[in-house]
Amino acid sequence: MRTELLIGGNWREGTGGGTIDVIDPASGESFAAVANGTPDDALAACDAAASAQPDWAATPPRERSEVLRACWKMLVDHTDELAELIVREQGKPLTDARGEIAYSAEFFRWNAEETVRIRGEIGLAPSGTNRMIVHHPPVGVVLMITPWNFPAAMITRKLAPALGAGNAVVIKPPSETPLTALRIGELLQDAGVPAGLVNVVPTSKSGDWFDAAVDHPAVRMLSFTGSTEVGRRLLRRAADRVLKTVMELGGNAPFVVFADADIDAAVEGAMVAKMRHSAETCTAANRFYVEADAVDEFSEKFTAAMAKIKIGPGFDDGVTCGPLINQRAVDDVDGLVRGAVDAGASVLLGGSPRDGAGFFYEPTVLRDVAHDAEISRSEIFGPVAPIISFTDHDEMIRQANDTEMGLTGYVYTRDLAKGLRTSERIQAGMIGLNRGAVSDPAAPFGGMKQSGLGREGSTEGIYEFCETQYIATNW
Ligand code: SIN
């Protein structure tokens, strides 16, 4: 298990000499300690990235693509080991952790294919006086700040296109899950990524780290996944240097079930949309709007499905929901549930933290949740499903859109035209129409409104890590 900082291809202790404890959320106990990066370490990582980047940018796209393909294979070959690390530091069930490694690796395979397809254009100016050449060089050095809910995939979703486009990166993984990030850094070097291109510097002092790194003259871009609140702060600071940004921020997804839907399919989709990766995803269904004629049937079947969830440590057989990341997360989820109940919701299932070691919350279903309850406006990030009945389609859409977030939405109906019309009216970057999962490396992942800026994945994702240069010329 790697516990030092990865800077310029070398492993070193932090210049401040301190460490960060890594906690197993299933027990609440510390099981490892990693080097705690300082602002000086962040700057050293930026220096290393700046030195390595020009040669990499000059490497033929086919060669870069082949390195990315080797990274895909390397991660796939280390699925068991990486998945176990994720379970230890993040807590999710082992099957979800394995799924995360497959998802993480796929970003490398997809972007290996995109790397050789970065396009340019050539055309005649409208005046006919000259040619216009447009091409896409890499941005340069990219800062990446990643979250703990997907310790591997939220790194590779940024890293693979950044490398494919010819950039070098400095990663600040979350202090909760640094081990997966450090091991990925090591594996990528073994796969042939040149030293200095991928630097991994965990820290417990994120603000100081970022303040130093953002002012490094070589840094030209910030790619962040995390909460909208933190995203706003980073954007303000990135504005000081007019950095290019890609921001994947919070969600508050409505999950709409019309009375004409296949209710069994809707329940199955709801379980995926709510409970995938222990309900700690920004795409998670946050508010279930169910048409009044179907609300009894949906509530009963969905509650029965939620009651079958087995919570426990991610390594235990049959566990389908692990712990939350820490005690604060448990307290936050519980506060939202208490607030909803105070505002008139009834509890169909669960409704409280689980006693004993670790940070567990009971799978919970609430009914008749008020639109103005805090839970309807907050990203829950826990296994709690609020159900809201509706009769008026337009009012339901108004409520669904009455949030500053716009990442994901879900719609269930047998009427495809109604489903498409409703999807278009929901202000969200991604819609699951009769599907409970939207994430795919080949699709543009990202939000509208305060859920973010830019897109990750698909053909768009790699261009986020490129500049556009236009050359006016004659011949
Ligand atoms: C996230 O929760 O930040 C990402 C979820 C996903 O990629 O599916």
Side-chain angles (χ1 to χ4, degrees), residues 103 107 147 149-150 153-154 157 225-226 248-249 276-277 280-284 379 381 407 430 438-440 445:
Y103 184 40
F107 286 107
N149 61 340
F150 286 82
M154 295 306 100
R157 184 154 79 189
T225 297
E248 299 297 351
L249 307 178
R276 187 174 159 258
H277 297 268
E280 291 175 307
T281 68
C282 55
T283 51
E379 187 171 31
F381 245 65
L407 189 63
M430 299 174 284
V438 293
S439 307
D440 189 320
F445 189 103

Side-chain angles (χ1 to χ4, degrees), residues 9-190:
N10 300 309
W11 295 94
R12 32 166 135 155
E13 297 302 331
T15 46
T19 56
I20 309 170
D21 281 338
V22 187
I23 309 292
D24 173 356
S27 67
E29 304 290 333
S30 157
F31 69 95
V34 300
N36 195 358
T38 62
D40 283 344
D41 296 320
L43 291 174
C46 294
D47 285 342
S51 315
Q53 194 263 336
D55 282 354
W56 178 244
T59 303
R62 174 61 69 201
E63 281 178 38
R64 296 203 303 265
S65 164
E66 276 161 12
V67 172
L68 262 62
R69 178 101 188 165
C71 294
W72 164 72
K73 179 85 172 57
M74 183 64 85
L75 295 191
V76 169
D77 289 349
H78 288 79
T79 297
D80 289 347
E81 176 203 338
L82 288 167
E84 281 168 26
L85 261 188
I86 289 178
V87 176
R88 291 221 68 192
E89 62 180 355
Q90 201 277 341
K92 66 181 69 178
L94 189 56
T95 35
D96 284 350
R98 284 179 201 275
E100 180 178 342
I101 297 307
Y103 184 40
S104 311
E106 196 54 33
F107 286 107
F108 278 106
R109 184 160 63 167
W110 171 262
N111 282 289
E113 290 153 2
E114 293 304 290
T115 294
V116 287
R117 294 192 170 79
I118 297 174
R119 298 263 174 223
E121 280 174 34
I122 180 167
L124 194 59
S127 59
T129 53
N130 62 284
R131 299 302 207 288
M132 307 169 86
I133 299 173
V134 178
H135 75 125
H136 299 287
V139 171
V141 174
V142 183
L143 296 182
M144 296 185 172
I145 302 187
T146 60
W148 48 260
N149 61 340
F150 286 82
M154 295 306 100
I155 291 178
T156 61
R157 184 154 79 189
K158 300 173 184 312
L159 184 54
L163 291 179
N167 299 284
V169 308
V170 177
I171 302 169
K172 188 196 81 57
S175 56
E176 294 85 349
T177 60
L179 294 167
T180 309
L182 292 168
R183 182 67 178 128
I184 286 177
E186 184 176 31
L187 288 172
L188 298 192
Q189 292 201 157
D190 293 349

Side-chain angles (χ1 to χ4, degrees), residues 90 93 120 295 325 377:
Q90 201 277 341
V295 74
I325 192 68
R377 278 177 283 120

